Amino acid sequence: MRSRQRMFAAAMRLLLKCLRLGRRRRFKLVRQVEQLWHYGHLCLRSLLYNSFTNGDVVLDSLFEPVYWLVDHVTRWFGVVFVALVIGLTSSIVAIVYICLLPLILQTYTPAWICWHLTYGHWNLIMIVFHYYMAITTSPGHPPQAKNDLTGVSICRKCIAPKPARTHHCSICNRCVLKMDHHCPWLNNCVGHYNHRYFFSFCLFMTMGCIYCSISGWEMFRDAYAAIERMKLLDKERLQVAANQTYYQTPPPTFSFRQRAFHKSVVYLWVLCSSVALALGALTLWHAALITRGETSIERHINRKERQRLQKKGKVFRNPYSYGSWDNWKVFLGVDVPRHWLTRVLLPSPHLPHGTGLSWDLPPCVMEQHAPLLAI
């Protein structure tokens, strides 16, 4: 009896010892895994740590493949977009000359004929001139000789000094002076030397589309009603052809010229109205930026800087803004009153103020404005 009790006690002690040993090994394994996890996390943070890293930087990094795809697609399809703009504009001009101009000369009074001929051709000349200058004029780039170049930062892509208001275009793969954006419809960057041409093209194209939409509204209504009658008569003609007898005659049909005329008028009005809405919104957006003395890129930079300084109880002031009226004079290059006619209302290839490398006070601005920061 005692031998059995001793054997049972020995077996229980061995079992408890095994359990304690397994528990120790398990706890030791868990501690090793935790140490490896903390060590790996510390190594990852030490390799990737950056005091400027935030949610926006992480989001931009995740979308980098999408940006790469968009940049390359835009680069290769820029010529296609330019051809599309030229083709659509040429089609509208052809419809106006072939279809609408003879009708205007036959039905309008001499005063209205003079108005349409004068305004229409002036608007067309301004559109063609500014679009040609926008796509052929270089936006401006920092010089290759970097010895005498004063930069406010270093471009991460070019590894070169970057002047104020200069940004790198990933599509052109170059730094652009006073860069606003890369426009695929121009196949060119919008920068210091062609920003005025770009905005003027948007403005006069919007004005031309609004002019065509308003002037062709009555013609559009008549043409749309005629097309509906065409569809109804075509339906009746098919029904008559299916049940035709010797005593029935098919209804009259429209000629090919009449069909082409009505469809061309509808195409002109729909295209001009759509472009007027879309391009008009873009023009108003850029007009607001010009009024504040900003570019599209600077708007986002200034907004973040304004929020950062607001938390510190300070006020952000744009150093490149000279007031709403003076901002427009600087942008359009208006130094004297007659320039509103010769440089704004007529085609003018004059250069903008400054070189884009430094931003001195323009001669048309009479008084110095507040500094960048004000408490």
Side-chain angles (χ1 to χ4, degrees), residues 34-262:
E34 290 179 354
Q35 290 176 357
L36 289 175
W37 167 258
H38 290 302
Y39 179 75
H41 187 258
L42 180 61
C43 290
L44 186 64
R45 285 180 59 86
S46 63
L47 291 174
L48 303 179
Y49 177 74
N50 191 328
S51 59
F52 296 99
T53 301
N54 52 24
D56 295 336
V57 176
V58 174
L59 192 62
D60 290 341
S61 301
L62 294 177
F63 276 90
E64 191 66 29
V66 179
Y67 298 151
W68 180 89
L69 180 63
V70 171
D71 291 345
H72 283 71
V73 169
T74 305
R75 183 182 305 171
W76 288 107
F77 279 85
V79 179
V80 178
F81 292 149
V82 172
L84 186 61
V85 172
I86 296 175
L88 293 177
T89 306
S90 301
S91 66
I92 296 299
V93 174
I95 291 173
V96 170
Y97 274 102
I98 296 174
C99 299
L100 302 186
L101 186 59
L103 188 61
I104 291 175
L105 295 177
Q106 293 174 5
T107 58
Y108 283 33
T109 62
W112 277 110
I113 292 176
C114 291
W115 155 253
H116 285 290
L117 291 178
T118 302
Y119 179 81
H121 286 90
W122 169 78
N123 203 340
L124 178 61
I125 291 173
M126 298 298 285
I127 291 173
V128 173
F129 170 78
H130 287 102
Y131 187 70
Y132 174 78
M133 295 299 293
I135 63 178
T136 57
T137 302
S138 173
H141 307 282
Q144 297 297 325
K146 305 178 180 62
N147 296 330
D148 300 331
L149 182 61
T150 302
V152 298
S153 61
I154 300 295
C155 178
R156 295 182 300 173
K157 302 294 182 63
C158 299
I159 314 299
K162 190 166 62 173
R165 312 188 81 179
T166 300
H167 300 279
H168 187 90
C169 176
S170 58
I171 299 175
C172 299
N173 199 23
R174 295 187 65 180
C175 283
V176 178
L177 300 176
K178 192 194 169 187
M179 179 180 176
D180 188 89
H181 69 288
H182 184 95
C183 181
W185 302 103
L186 302 179
N187 195 27
N188 195 8
C189 266
V190 177
H192 178 62
Y193 289 103
N194 64 347
H195 194 181
R196 179 178 65 88
Y197 297 132
F198 165 77
F199 177 78
S200 298
F201 163 72
C202 293
L203 176 63
F204 289 112
M205 178 63 82
T206 303
M207 292 171 57
C209 291
I210 294 175
Y211 163 73
C212 290
S213 299
I214 296 176
S215 301
W217 169 244
E218 295 296 334
M219 297 180 184
F220 166 75
R221 292 178 58 186
D222 296 339
Y224 185 81
I227 291 176
E228 292 297 323
R229 288 197 302 271
M230 289 181 199
K231 295 179 180 179
L232 183 61
L233 291 176
D234 288 341
K235 185 177 179 180
E236 292 179 358
R237 185 167 58 86
L238 292 175
Q239 292 176 353
V240 170
N243 303 318
Q244 188 174 11
T245 63
Y246 293 104
Y247 302 101
Q248 291 177 328
T249 57
T253 58
F254 287 86
S255 64
F256 173 79
R257 185 174 181 178
Q258 291 174 327
R259 292 173 181 270
F261 174 83
H262 295 310

Side-chain angles (χ1 to χ4, degrees), residues 163-166 177-179 192 298 319-320 322 330 352-362:
R165 312 188 81 179
T166 300
L177 300 176
K178 192 194 169 187
M179 179 180 176
H192 178 62
E298 290 173 349
Y320 310 113
Y322 311 106
V330 172
H353 290 294
T355 61
L357 301 175
S358 60
W359 299 96
D360 300 327
L361 192 67

Side-chain angles (χ1 to χ4, degrees), residues 244-309:
Q244 188 174 11
T245 63
Y246 293 104
Y247 302 101
Q248 291 177 328
T249 57
T253 58
F254 287 86
S255 64
F256 173 79
R257 185 174 181 178
Q258 291 174 327
R259 292 173 181 270
F261 174 83
H262 295 310
K263 292 182 179 180
S264 297
V265 172
V266 172
Y267 164 78
L268 179 144
W269 192 87
V270 171
L271 180 61
C272 289
S273 300
S274 303
V275 173
L277 291 176
L279 195 59
L282 179 65
T283 304
L284 291 176
W285 164 255
H286 280 278
L289 293 176
I290 295 169
T291 303
R292 295 195 296 262
E294 297 176 334
T295 62
S296 299
I297 298 177
E298 290 173 349
R299 177 187 176 274
H300 299 286
I301 297 175
N302 293 346
R303 179 167 58 89
K304 291 183 179 179
E305 188 68 13
R306 188 177 295 108
Q307 293 175 354
R308 185 182 70 85
L309 293 177

